[in-house]
Amino acid sequence: MKKFRSDEIRTMWLDFWRSKGHDIIDSAPLVPINDPTLLWINAGVAPLKKYFDGTSIPKNKRMANAQKSIRTNDIENVGRTARHHTFFEMLGNFSIGDYFREEALTFAMEILTSPRWYGMDINRLYFTVYPNDQDTIQKWMELGVAEDHIIPLADNFWEIGEGPCGPDTEIFFDRGESYDPDHIGVRLLREDISNERYIEIWNIVFSQYNAKAGIPRDQYKELPSKNIDTGMGLERMACVLQEVPTNYETDLFLPIIAKTASITGVDYHGQMAFKVIADHVRSVVFALSDGATFSNEGRGYVLRRLLRRAVRYARILGMNEAILYRLVATVVENMRHFYTYLPSKAEMVTKQIKMEEEKFLMTLASGEKRLLDFIEQANEKIISSQVAFLLYDTFGFPFELTLEVAEEHGFQVDKKGFSSLLQEQKNRARSARSKDQSMNIQNEAMMQFKKASLFVGYDQLLIKAKVTALFQEGRRVQQAKNQVLAVFDQTPFYAESGGQIGDIGFLTVHSQNYTIENTIKLPNGQHASLIDMKDTLLHEEDLVQLAVDETFRQDVARNHSATHLLNEALRQVIGNHVVQQGSMVSNHLLRFDFNHFVPLTNEEILQVEKLVNTEIEKNHPVVVKEMAIEEAKKTGAQALFGEKYNDIVRVIDMDFSKELCGGTHVTQTGEIDKFAILSVETKGSGIYRIEATTKDHIFDELNQSLENIGAEINALLDKKKTLEAVASEENIVLTSPLFELSNPIESYQMVINRRLEWETLRNIVKDMDKEYTKKKREAQVIDLSVLLALKKQIKDYSVLIHRLDDFSVEQLKDTVDRLSNQLANSMVFIGSKQEEKVVFICKNKIPQLSAGALVKIAALHTNGNGGGRNDFAQAGGKDSSKLDEALAIVEKEVTELL
């Protein structure tokens, strides 16, 4: 069998499918664009969901790719098994309503066994199939597969929730008896026994049914468009074709392992630590390069876990310093020939990993201190599952380290309980994934409608047109009233896409106007407008007049052009690592999501806003050109990372900014008039969102954006007035600074001003509250001489146990402190009724007593709980009727102990 380098395997795959008329699709970024259902791109088909569910029709129904992917459902298994990874490349070929089973299996046999391609021995290939899929069984046999190499398995059916699904066939490579020491043979496949002999290299899914909840599988309806979806793991294929024991000995991992060995001075002999480090550093480098960042939630949390696990295994290799950042260059060098963008990201990624490593090494020290504190205070020599999981999940302290530290101090850890908590967390994650990853159900009527509709809305807003199709409730109809989706032979209405909302306006028929409420794009690209026809019937072939709402369109165009300027301004102010992670452009405002390591400062936000307004004032002409995609990229035009573009693209050039875009824009940047940022917020996982607007909407939208701050300011002003009034009634004089709001301005500076004013007012009210409390306490000082006279002398100790009602907890603490200060070798214990509840406060200087134990006794007697230190403690109870009994019990306990 021929041996291939991994880059040869990848290139050969793409070349084969290109020769079969497939478009080669660029690998989408790992961070999904405009797809909130996915944490990561986790399969070759993930970026193509819109084609499989019929939402959109691709320009070529045959596609292939090498898609980088991340899956993190079983992180703990990485390094333990031969082929489990978090980052991997999935080689895929796809047919969207074009070829199906016959051609798919014929192509598969050719690329696998032909001497021109991978040249595998057919006798070393085994094929699992869905038992009812007789067509696949028959086709494999026609292609020369021996009957005893075809294994029916009931699990060979791909289905995730409702939507497209179907049987699949998996292809395994037999590595021979040297990987089967017990000589079990093909029973390993038939009985699904974990093994190293038969390696799954490819899965081919025949997506031919629409899954529907509550319906038996054998009653699923067939899809109007049957699809092929396949996935071949590059790492597994490299392992087989390079004839090495595990994926980690392939050329995809060995350079990283060799560099790790060089740094640590430890030779590699298959140790798990090397495998974990190699896998995890690949994931982190690619994820950061694709716009992810470290954080405490979402994908940022996953990245943090991966890096921390790798650091943990670096410690096993004797490294107590940051080393993972030194592997970035090796990962980049190993993958740069196919992923050509990696070198430009290397410096940024190295910096981020180094910072995160160093921070985690400090966290390890902090986590160990927390654990040691717990061990010191523990009553039993066991660390509960809750404590271990808290250290692991919240503070990032590895469970293995918890076990080590516990063992050193003679403690046991509740491993079973920890595993249960960990499994619960995994189940929640799996449940979320299974719900999110299902596809939409195909709409047959819309997919089958292929008549062209010409969009003329870049140049015309008012035209005459003919109705060519009507859809209502998902079905095509000949006539309709009320709400109906209409397609025309030509239309000026822009359909919602690229983040820009669809046009609105009017349809005129028989001299009557009807409102067009939205415009969307059908699967085959036609612009369809949603019309409220009320009680009037609209028919196919009707001649109509279409008019776009001109004010609406102009407002949208201003916001869209401003979005382009904002994108470039962010890149110039905070760095060219900024990548658009989603956008929304409406007539009122614009939203722009982007990646960054840290929250933007007020200074940076104002700088971005000022830069956009400067470019507006320069009144650049907005030049629109159509050109070939490769030519456009050579001009420096920005393309949305991972977006699928046609061969001919539209370039929007504003001099300051140049992007590929199909949306509507102003003709001069001066038409935008003015730009203001309304808010900046984090969306989690290192993604930030800016909301902004332009021209006449600025003042209203700013006020709307500031509504919450305004409500908080009003609440604080009300509290200030209340404090002043109450203090006046009680003859308490308060310092009450004047407070006035600044005048509004049309800039993000207004948001900053209001926040600063809120903070100022909050501090004023806080200080007034403290001053009022202090002066009220001074006015109600408890006479200590009365209480001191109640103390009892037991041997050489002063004991004071008393009930004091109608005082605040702060007053009681102050009283206990002052009493204790005047009594040497003493214990002061105060019980107090607080409405229907009880509070106990104790300060103790007597060695034989514990304040924590005494308040706990009292609290338990009053149906409460609590505790504290030996010298000071506070606890609460729920039954005030037992307060006197509790004090008597405490007095008895103290007397007995002394």
Side-chain angles (χ1 to χ4, degrees):
M1 186 169 65
K2 292 187 290 186
K3 290 189 177 182
F4 297 90
R5 298 190 311 275
S6 57
D7 58 332
E8 290 176 321
I9 297 170
R10 190 194 296 113
T11 300
M12 185 172 286
W13 174 267
L14 299 176
D15 287 346
F16 174 83
W17 295 109
R18 190 181 286 111
S19 75
K20 302 300 180 186
H22 290 61
D23 274 1
I24 305 305
I25 307 299
D26 288 341
S27 181
L30 289 165
V31 178
I33 303 293
N34 290 326
D35 187 352
T37 69
L38 284 178
L39 194 64
W40 302 104
I41 293 297
N42 57 10
V45 71
L48 310 177
K49 280 165 58 175
K50 62 181 179 181
Y51 302 135
F52 277 79
D53 63 23
T55 307
S56 183
I57 303 295
K59 62 176 183 175
N60 185 346
K61 294 183 177 182
R62 297 184 175 200
M63 293 175 284
N65 65 4
Q67 175 61 50
K68 52 185 184 280
S69 306
I70 284 182
R71 292 182 191 171
T72 57
N73 48 317
D74 291 305
I75 291 174
E76 286 76 17
N77 285 333
V78 173
R80 300 183 193 279
T81 70
R83 280 164 294 283
H84 199 96
H85 303 296
T86 54
F87 173 84
F88 59 95
E89 292 179 79
M90 188 65 81
L91 309 179
N93 65 287
F94 311 94
S95 167
I96 312 296
D98 186 40
Y99 64 82
F100 199 53
R101 182 179 281 102
E102 182 84 14
E103 299 91 334
L105 299 186
T106 302
F107 290 152
M109 188 60 71
E110 181 182 355
I111 190 173
L112 288 175
T113 62
S114 168
R116 182 183 172 190
W117 304 105
Y118 296 133
M120 290 177 157
D121 181 355
I122 192 174
N123 295 313
R124 298 183 69 177
L125 297 177
Y126 284 77
F127 306 80
T128 61
V129 296
Y130 188 58
N132 295 348
D133 188 5
Q134 292 299 314
D135 292 338
T136 296
I137 294 171
Q138 186 61 37
K139 186 59 186 178
W140 279 137
M141 292 173 67
E142 288 176 12
L143 291 167
V145 179
E147 190 171 356
D148 61 356
H149 279 224
I150 300 174
I151 297 99
L153 292 176
D155 287 341
N156 277 56
F157 196 96
W158 187 88
E159 180 178 356
I160 303 181
E162 293 195 337
C165 66
D168 63 74
T169 180
E170 295 172 331
I171 303 170
F172 292 78
F173 182 84
D174 180 5
R175 297 205 291 175
E177 290 198 352
S178 61
Y179 290 96
D180 182 13
D182 297 325
H183 308 291
I184 297 173
V186 75
R187 189 159 60 86
L188 293 167
L189 287 178
R190 294 186 190 282
E191 299 179 15
D192 194 23
I193 301 171
S194 178
N195 71 95
E196 295 298 317
R197 175 171 178 173
Y198 300 98
I199 305 302
E200 181 191 345
I201 56 173
W202 198 358
N203 186 22
I204 301 172
V205 179
F206 309 107
S207 184
Q208 64 187 100
Y209 301 109
N210 250 332
K212 196 164 181 64
I215 295 178
R217 186 174 284 173
D218 59 4
Q219 294 179 26
Y220 288 167
K221 291 184 178 179
E222 293 220 345
L223 292 171
S225 173
K226 295 182 179 65
N227 307 316
I228 292 292
D229 162 22
T230 89
M232 173 186 283
L234 175 62
E235 293 77 11
R236 289 170 176 247
M237 198 65 171
C239 177
V240 167
L241 293 177
Q242 293 174 18
E243 299 185 70
V244 293
T246 77
N247 294 2
Y248 293 99
E249 283 74 50
T250 67
D251 60 357
L252 290 164
F253 292 91
L254 269 184
I256 307 169
I257 288 173
K259 181 65 174 178
T260 305
S262 171
I263 293 171
T264 62
V266 179
D267 292 336
Y268 173 64
H269 298 293
Q271 301 97 307
M272 181 178 172
F274 284 97
K275 297 174 181 178
V276 170
I277 291 168
D279 173 89
H280 290 4
V281 78
R282 280 173 22 114
S283 289
V284 172
V285 168
F286 270 93
L288 294 176
S289 296
D290 283 8
T293 58
F294 296 109
S295 72
N296 284 328
E297 56 190 352
R299 66 180 65 93
Y301 172 69
V302 172
L303 280 190
R304 183 160 278 165
R305 276 193 65 197
L306 289 176
L307 181 130
R308 290 180 171 189
R309 187 166 185 257
V311 170
R312 155 73 180 142
Y313 279 91
R315 281 167 61 103
I316 289 174
L317 295 177
M319 303 307 295
N320 293 309
E321 61 188 61
I323 69 160
L324 300 183
Y325 76 96
R326 296 167 63 183
L327 300 174
V328 174
T330 305
V331 176
V332 170
E333 181 59 31
N334 203 36
M335 305 295 279
R336 68 196 298 266
H337 303 292
F338 187 71
Y339 298 103
T340 55
Y341 67 95
L342 285 178
S344 66
K345 307 287 185 180
E347 183 179 352
M348 172 200 71
V349 170
T350 302
K351 178 182 176 184
Q352 283 183 273
I353 291 178
K354 187 172 188 287
M355 287 171 57
E356 186 69 17
E357 272 192 277
E358 290 172 343
K359 185 162 66 173
F360 179 53
L361 288 168
M362 288 189 286
T363 297
L364 281 178
S366 172
E368 191 163 9
K369 182 179 182 302
R370 287 176 184 273
L371 180 55
L372 291 173
D373 287 344
F374 174 82
I375 288 172
E376 186 180 333
Q377 297 174 18
N379 295 321
E380 300 178 276
K381 283 189 169 289
I382 186 164
I383 294 170
S384 70
S385 58
Q386 289 84 357
V387 169
F389 192 76
L390 178 74
L391 287 168
Y392 167 81
D393 191 53
T394 304
F395 300 106
F397 194 73
F399 184 59
E400 294 86 349
L401 277 185
T402 298
L403 293 174
E404 286 180 18
V405 175
E407 186 178 356
E408 288 170 7
H409 291 79
F411 272 64
Q412 292 183 325
V413 181
D414 181 2
K415 296 180 186 178
K416 187 176 180 181
F418 176 85
S419 297
S420 177
L421 291 172
L422 188 62
Q423 190 60 46
E424 286 176 20
Q425 184 189 64
K426 288 182 181 178
N427 291 341
R428 287 192 295 270
R430 285 197 184 101
S431 174
R433 281 194 299 274
S434 65
K435 289 175 184 174
D436 289 342
Q437 291 179 7
S438 59
M439 297 181 187
N440 296 323
I441 295 174
Q442 295 179 354
N443 185 294
E444 183 173 0
M446 292 182 183
M447 290 179 68
Q448 289 182 349
F449 178 66
K450 298 180 179 178
K451 188 178 290 186
S453 173
L454 179 65
F455 174 63
V456 297
Y458 291 134
D459 307 308
Q460 303 177 65
L461 299 183
L462 177 67
I463 66 164
K464 295 189 181 301
K466 181 169 70 174
V467 178
T468 57
L470 297 170
F471 297 91
Q472 200 166 53
E473 296 179 354
R475 294 179 294 110
R476 188 170 177 184
V477 295
Q478 297 301 308
Q479 60 183 30
K481 57 184 177 180
N482 300 319
Q483 282 205 331
V484 57
L485 201 59
V487 183
F488 311 96
D489 60 344
Q490 58 175 352
T491 178
F493 286 87
Y494 180 85
E496 181 177 347
S497 61
Q500 178 177 325
I501 66 172
D503 276 335
I504 63 172
F506 299 95
L507 173 146
T508 304
V509 62
H510 307 311
S511 302
Q512 294 294 317
N513 292 333
Y514 300 93
T515 303
I516 291 180
E517 300 174 340
N518 193 13
T519 304
I520 65 170
K521 194 173 285 189
L522 296 187
N524 287 295
Q526 306 96 332
H527 295 207
S529 293
L530 182 66
I531 312 164
D532 184 1
M533 293 300 300
K534 302 190 182 302
D535 292 328
T536 302
L537 281 172
L538 183 66
H539 305 80
E540 276 197 21
E541 304 297 322
D542 275 352
L543 297 177
V544 299
Q545 178 175 282
L546 301 176
V548 176
D549 184 320
E550 192 169 346
T551 301
F552 176 92
R553 170 68 78 83
Q554 287 174 343
D555 286 344
V556 171
R558 287 189 191 97
N559 286 336
H560 201 153
S561 296
T563 302
H564 285 217
L565 296 176
L566 171 63
N567 185 9
E568 182 58 30
L570 282 167
R571 290 168 60 82
Q572 291 196 17
V573 172
I574 65 174
N576 62 9
H577 63 276
V578 168
V579 175
Q580 178 179 331
Q581 302 291 337
S583 68
M584 189 284 294
V585 177
S586 74
N587 56 320
H588 289 292
L589 52 81
L590 64 96
R591 289 197 197 108
F592 188 79
D593 296 348
F594 61 98
N595 60 298
H596 193 41
F597 326 132
V598 292
L600 271 67
T601 64
N602 286 336
E603 292 73 20
E604 287 171 332
I605 296 169
L606 291 174
Q607 193 177 344
V608 167
E609 185 182 69
K610 182 179 179 181
L611 185 53
V612 172
N613 279 310
T614 298
E615 298 307 316
I616 290 171
E617 291 168 6
K618 289 180 180 178
N619 201 23
H620 299 298
V622 178
V623 180
V624 181
K625 291 181 181 178
E626 289 192 348
M627 61 184 74
I629 178 71
E630 294 306 321
E631 181 186 351
K633 288 180 179 178
K634 288 177 183 176
T635 68
Q638 273 194 62
L640 185 59
F641 193 22
E643 183 66 29
K644 310 292 187 293
Y645 292 98
N646 293 325
D647 294 335
I648 301 298
V649 295
R650 196 162 171 263
V651 178
I652 309 298
D653 187 351
M654 303 182 189
D655 190 43
F656 176 74
S657 160
K658 186 185 292 186
E659 291 188 33
L660 308 186
C661 179
T664 60
H665 290 272
V666 297
T667 57
Q668 306 265 148
T669 59
E671 294 172 26
I672 301 171
D673 187 57
K674 189 171 178 59
F675 169 85
I677 291 176
L678 307 173
S679 65
V680 183
E681 61 177 342
T682 175
K683 303 305 292 179
S685 300
I687 305 298
Y688 295 87
R689 170 173 291 176
I690 285 180
E691 285 197 353
T693 193
T694 57
K695 203 175 180 180
D696 299 334
H697 295 287
I698 291 176
F699 191 74
D700 289 341
E701 292 295 335
L702 264 175
N703 281 332
Q704 185 71 29
S705 181
L706 290 169
E707 193 172 304
N708 289 339
I709 299 176
E712 290 178 20
I713 286 176
N714 289 334
L716 285 169
L717 286 171
D718 288 343
K719 185 172 181 181
K720 183 173 181 285
K721 288 178 184 176
T722 301
L723 275 170
E724 289 168 341
V726 170
S728 177
E729 285 179 10
E730 298 177 2
N731 294 318
I732 295 174
V733 180
L734 294 180
T735 306
S736 182
L738 289 174
F739 175 81
E740 292 183 359
L741 290 172
S742 61
N743 293 324
I745 53 175
E746 294 187 344
S747 164
Y748 188 74
Q749 185 66 56
M750 180 176 169
V751 177
I752 295 171
N753 290 349
R754 284 290 182 266
R755 284 180 179 158
L756 290 172
E757 287 160 358
W758 170 77
E759 287 178 9
T760 300
L761 181 58
R762 182 185 61 176
N763 290 333
I764 287 173
V765 173
K766 188 176 177 182
D767 290 342
M768 287 176 66
D769 201 13
K770 283 182 180 177
E771 184 182 10
Y772 170 76
T773 302
K774 183 173 180 246
K775 289 184 174 179
K776 185 176 177 68
R777 187 185 299 153
E778 289 170 351
Q780 293 182 329
V781 172
I782 299 170
D783 189 347
L784 293 190
S785 62
V786 175
L787 294 175
L788 288 169
L790 299 173
K791 74 173 176 30
K792 291 184 179 180
Q793 202 71 25
I794 303 177
K795 296 182 180 178
D796 295 329
Y797 306 114
S798 298
V799 175
L800 176 53
I801 300 172
H802 192 64
R803 174 172 177 168
L804 280 176
D805 293 338
D806 301 323
F807 290 98
S808 70
V809 173
E810 290 303 317
Q811 284 178 295
L812 293 172
K813 284 182 181 178
D814 178 63
T815 301
V816 169
D817 273 339
R818 290 192 293 134
L819 286 168
S820 181
N821 289 339
Q822 294 195 32
L823 296 171
N825 300 324
S826 64
M827 188 282 296
V828 179
F829 191 105
I830 297 293
S832 177
K833 181 181 176 182
Q834 304 281 314
E835 295 180 352
E836 293 307 313
K837 294 184 180 180
V838 182
V839 66
F840 301 103
I841 300 171
C842 176
K843 193 158 188 181
N844 173 53
K845 300 177 183 176
I846 303 174
Q848 296 95 312
L849 302 179
S850 166
L854 293 174
V855 297
K856 188 177 185 73
I857 289 169
L860 288 171
H861 189 75
T862 53
N863 299 332
N865 209 338
R869 304 192 309 265
N870 289 336
D871 61 333
F872 179 81
Q874 177 181 328
K878 298 175 183 176
D879 188 350
S880 60
S881 67
K882 295 182 178 180
L883 174 55
D884 291 330
E885 292 176 13
L887 293 174
I889 291 170
V890 169
E891 186 169 350
K892 182 180 178 185
E893 178 76 9
V894 170
T895 303
E896 289 176 356
L897 289 171
L898 297 179

